Amino acid sequence: MQPILETRNLSKVFHRGSLLSRDRIVAVDRVSFTVRRGEVFTLAGESGCGKTTTARMILGFEHPSSGEIIYGSERERWHPRVWFNQRIQAVFQNPFETFNPLRKVEGYLFETVKHYGLAADRGKAVELINSKLEAVGLSYSEVEGRYPSEFSGGQLQRISIARSLLVDPSLLIADEPVSMVDASIRMSIVNLFRRLRDELDMGILYITHDLATAYYLGGQIAVMFRGNTMEIGPVQEVLVNPRHPYTQLLRESIPEADPKKKWRGRISIAETEEEEYLRTGCKFAGRCPKAMDICRQQAPELYDVGGVKVKCHLYADKQKEVS
Ligand code: SF4
């Protein structure tokens, strides 16, 4: 499958504190992955793991400290806005924040058509808008003349997706797109992503803390922890047979289908995010049940463990990944 977006050793460093005592927080540490046409690539992890900062760099909202973002064959060291506008579109977590409550929803759709010069007249614009709304299970007549408060969160998220489809993007970045919609309609949005992937041959960069939906979408996954990709490979392999101790704990935290049952092995947040970011060696060493002395002294490399890349000293006998 054709690559549409690649990051190579993408890093983001934040500095905090005064000049005399400055902490250097590596929010994203040499992250490399490829998103392909017709495939979902998931960035997964708890909040504060660096997944949203990674997306913000791809979207041009943050300046990378180092590394590369490559779109197709174009190499963009910085300011991807030039190309991402039409080829990459984004859908965010809270659909209610996307739309001004005092403004009719259709205004956003017409505005996008006008901004990109997508239709010669209003009739053609309505036709185009209707076709994209139909692609997400709605229609123009259902949207016309209505304000955001007249829609459910799920409907607004669909309208937001329809708006991004107006420019026929090849990549959709979806940052926690179902975390604020009702559980009852969550799967219908996830199914919509599957359809966009298959019918429009789109690449989807799916950012989530929810491994169950990541598993359902398939494709590739990178599990992130404190700025590092701990494990990266095919979703089926990573989630069914996790190699990294952090992925193993995360997977055990997936709730049972029966909501009355307790969560198994929920990860304890024993340490602050900050302590973990500043930790020498493996960032997961404070919580890892398999931690060894070397883990507290030296950061692990990425190793190839049966086709899955794993950042863990437990696999030091395997072949090292060359970045
Ligand atoms: Fe655990 Fe060590 Fe592997 Fe980190 S490197 S995940 S602390 S075993």
Side-chain angles (χ1 to χ4, degrees):
M1 278 178 281
Q2 187 195 346
I4 42 179
L5 179 86
E6 198 177 338
T7 69
R8 284 196 196 151
N9 290 318
L10 190 63
S11 296
K12 179 70 190 174
V13 179
F14 292 109
H15 291 98
R16 206 204 41 185
S18 65
L19 267 180
L20 293 174
S21 71
R22 280 192 111 191
D23 283 333
R24 184 175 177 274
I25 307 237
V26 186
V28 176
D29 192 1
R30 291 164 296 150
V31 165
S32 302
F33 61 85
T34 304
V35 188
R36 298 174 190 282
R37 262 195 182 278
E39 189 178 70
V40 175
F41 189 97
T42 297
L43 282 179
E46 301 164 274
S47 74
C49 70
K51 55 192 194 304
T52 293
T53 305
T54 303
R56 286 177 61 78
M57 286 191 280
I58 292 168
L59 287 167
F61 299 145
E62 293 279 356
H63 195 309
S65 302
S66 59
E68 289 179 302
I69 301 169
I70 301 162
Y71 181 85
S73 58
E74 295 168 38
R75 201 164 278 235
E76 300 284 339
R77 283 189 184 273
W78 172 236
H79 228 296
R81 278 177 190 278
V82 179
W83 47 260
F84 90 68
N85 270 345
Q86 260 182 290
R87 288 176 263 183
I88 301 183
Q89 288 287 308
V91 177
F92 298 103
Q93 182 175 24
N94 188 346
F96 292 100
E97 279 178 3
T98 306
F99 300 95
N100 179 338
L102 302 175
R103 196 173 161 206
K104 287 178 187 161
V105 162
E106 75 207 53
Y108 289 87
L109 300 164
F110 282 110
E111 186 180 79
T112 304
V113 171
K114 190 175 170 199
H115 181 78
Y116 291 106
L118 301 173
D121 54 46
R122 188 174 169 89
K124 289 267 182 277
V126 170
E127 221 172 90
L128 177 66
I129 289 168
N130 188 52
S131 71
K132 301 303 178 185
L133 285 168
E134 281 183 348
V136 302
L138 292 164
S139 67
Y140 181 68
S141 60
E142 289 174 84
V143 169
E144 190 181 14
R146 294 172 71 188
Y147 289 92
S149 59
E150 296 176 70
F151 296 96
S152 68
Q155 284 173 319
L156 278 184
Q157 199 59 299
R158 283 172 182 276
I159 295 167
S160 186
I161 295 167
R163 184 191 183 195
S164 67
L165 296 182
L166 284 168
V167 295
D168 290 328
S170 47
L171 175 66
L172 188 67
I173 298 183
D175 189 358
E176 299 278 12
V178 293
S179 62
M180 294 193 72
V181 299
D182 287 348
S184 56
I185 49 170
R186 195 167 294 163
M187 285 317 286
S188 69
I189 303 266
V190 175
N191 274 324
L192 173 59
F193 287 131
R194 279 168 62 128
R195 271 191 28 233
L196 298 178
R197 175 197 67 189
D198 297 340
E199 291 171 16
L200 304 180
D201 200 27
M202 281 173 64
I204 296 174
L205 180 59
Y206 181 60
I207 296 163
T208 189
H209 64 280
D210 177 5
L211 296 189
T213 53
Y215 181 80
Y216 186 66
L217 282 167
Q220 305 283 316
I221 188 168
V223 176
M224 293 188 72
F225 182 80
R226 302 305 178 228
N228 287 259
T229 44
M230 294 308 208
E231 185 158 1
I232 177 166
V235 168
Q236 294 281 338
E237 267 298 306
V238 170
L239 296 185
V240 173
N241 182 24
R243 279 92 164 155
H244 195 285
Y246 175 61
T247 318
Q248 288 165 1
L249 277 174
L250 260 191
R251 208 198 61 166
E252 285 168 16
S253 301
I254 297 176
E256 299 274 359
D258 180 351
K260 279 178 258 165
K261 285 191 186 168
K262 285 198 174 130
W263 285 33
R264 293 171 285 132
R266 191 192 273 269
I267 295 171
S268 65
I269 311 290
E271 301 197 348
T272 66
E273 199 176 315
E274 183 185 330
E275 281 169 335
E276 285 177 332
Y277 266 114
L278 294 173
R279 179 184 291 284
T280 307
C282 175
K283 305 291 183 201
F284 190 53
R287 306 196 217 170
C288 180
K290 296 177 181 165
M292 305 168 281
D293 287 345
I294 189 174
C295 306
R296 296 181 187 88
Q297 293 150 14
Q298 194 180 312
E301 306 274 352
L302 264 180
Y303 297 99
D304 184 330
V305 188
V308 174
K309 297 175 204 168
V310 188
K311 193 175 273 185
C312 177
H313 286 303
L314 290 173
Y315 302 99
D317 60 329
K318 306 289 186 214
Q319 194 176 336
K320 213 181 277 184
E321 276 292 315
V322 184
S323 58

